[in-house]
Structure formats: C-alpha cells, structure tokens
Amino acid sequence: MDIKDCIFCKIVRGEIPSKGVYRDDLVYAFHDINPVAPTHILIIPIKHIVGVQSLEPEDECVVGHMFYVARRIAEDLGLAPDEDLNRGYRLVFNVGRDAGQSVFHLHLHLIGGRRMSWPPG
C-alpha cells in the first residue's frame, strides 16, 4: 500500500478527522472509531511503518515511545492500576491478517475501562 493511500497516514496529515488525545514528533494517539471497550485509543507512529514485521533497528525508539505514551494516556484517563493493582488496561499489537491487523500502519491499541477476559480472541 502506498503511504498516500494509508488511512492512518491520512489521519496523521489531518485529511481524515479523528478525536486526538496526544501528539508529538514521533506518535499520534486518537480514539478508535470502533471501540471494543469504554476506552480504546490507537497510538501510531507519525512515520509510516507497515507493522511489527517491518520494524527496523532505527524504529526501536518510536516503539518504546509508543509504550511510554500509552502509560501516560492510561494515567491521564484513570486507567492505571492503584496501589492494590486494581484497575488496569491492555496494550495490543496485532501482527498480520490472521491476528486481526486490518490497517497496515503500525498501531498499538490501549484498551480499558472494563474487566478484560483471558484468553483474548
């Protein structure tokens, strides 16, 4: 897929509206339009990366930053565990079609606001 046709690239460029919650030079975070929980945020790199399978060594810092941003957003939204480890959230990367990846631009799901079940899927 060409970057100009990528839906997440279009969101980053402002060509498609989104309900953003965080943006910096490396990542953009916004509410998923098809949430699976009361809170469902997508954290994507500004740079187009197809997915985990396409990561290069120079992408290490952006992936680590995605996790750091997820933690900050979770704290801001009241999802972070308390001292007794109540509350919480799930972070998910889907890698490939069989795993549920439907947009081929790396994205981290931050899902919370309800009790999660296990196993997922």
Side-chain angles (χ1 to χ4, degrees):
M1 170 180 290
D2 193 325
I3 293 172
K4 69 178 173 32
D5 296 325
C6 172
I7 190 167
F8 285 174
C9 288
K10 289 179 180 182
I11 288 171
V12 165
R13 292 190 303 261
E15 296 169 13
I16 295 175
S18 62
K19 187 177 175 190
V21 295
Y22 181 86
R23 185 182 191 118
D24 64 23
D25 291 341
L26 294 176
V27 300
Y28 179 57
F30 57 97
H31 290 269
D32 193 304
I33 61 169
N34 294 307
V36 298
T39 300
H40 189 164
I41 307 292
L42 299 177
I43 303 161
I44 66 173
I46 301 295
K47 171 187 173 185
H48 182 81
I49 301 169
V50 171
V52 171
Q53 71 281 4
S54 300
L55 289 171
E56 298 292 339
E58 63 268 17
D59 300 322
E60 270 187 78
C61 67
V62 74
V63 174
H65 189 62
M66 290 169 77
F67 280 98
Y68 174 74
V69 168
R71 189 202 91 197
R72 285 186 47 193
I73 293 169
E75 289 172 351
D76 290 347
L77 297 177
L79 300 174
D82 63 15
E83 61 277 351
D84 295 321
L85 298 180
N86 296 312
R87 293 190 308 268
Y89 54 94
R90 183 167 286 165
L91 298 174
V92 177
F93 280 111
N94 295 320
V95 184
R97 290 187 203 285
D98 284 355
Q101 186 177 3
S102 59
V103 177
F104 290 89
H105 182 124
L106 184 69
H107 54 287
L108 177 62
H109 297 260
L110 186 164
I111 303 165
R114 67 167 170 82
R115 183 172 287 276
M116 301 288 150
S117 60
W118 194 263

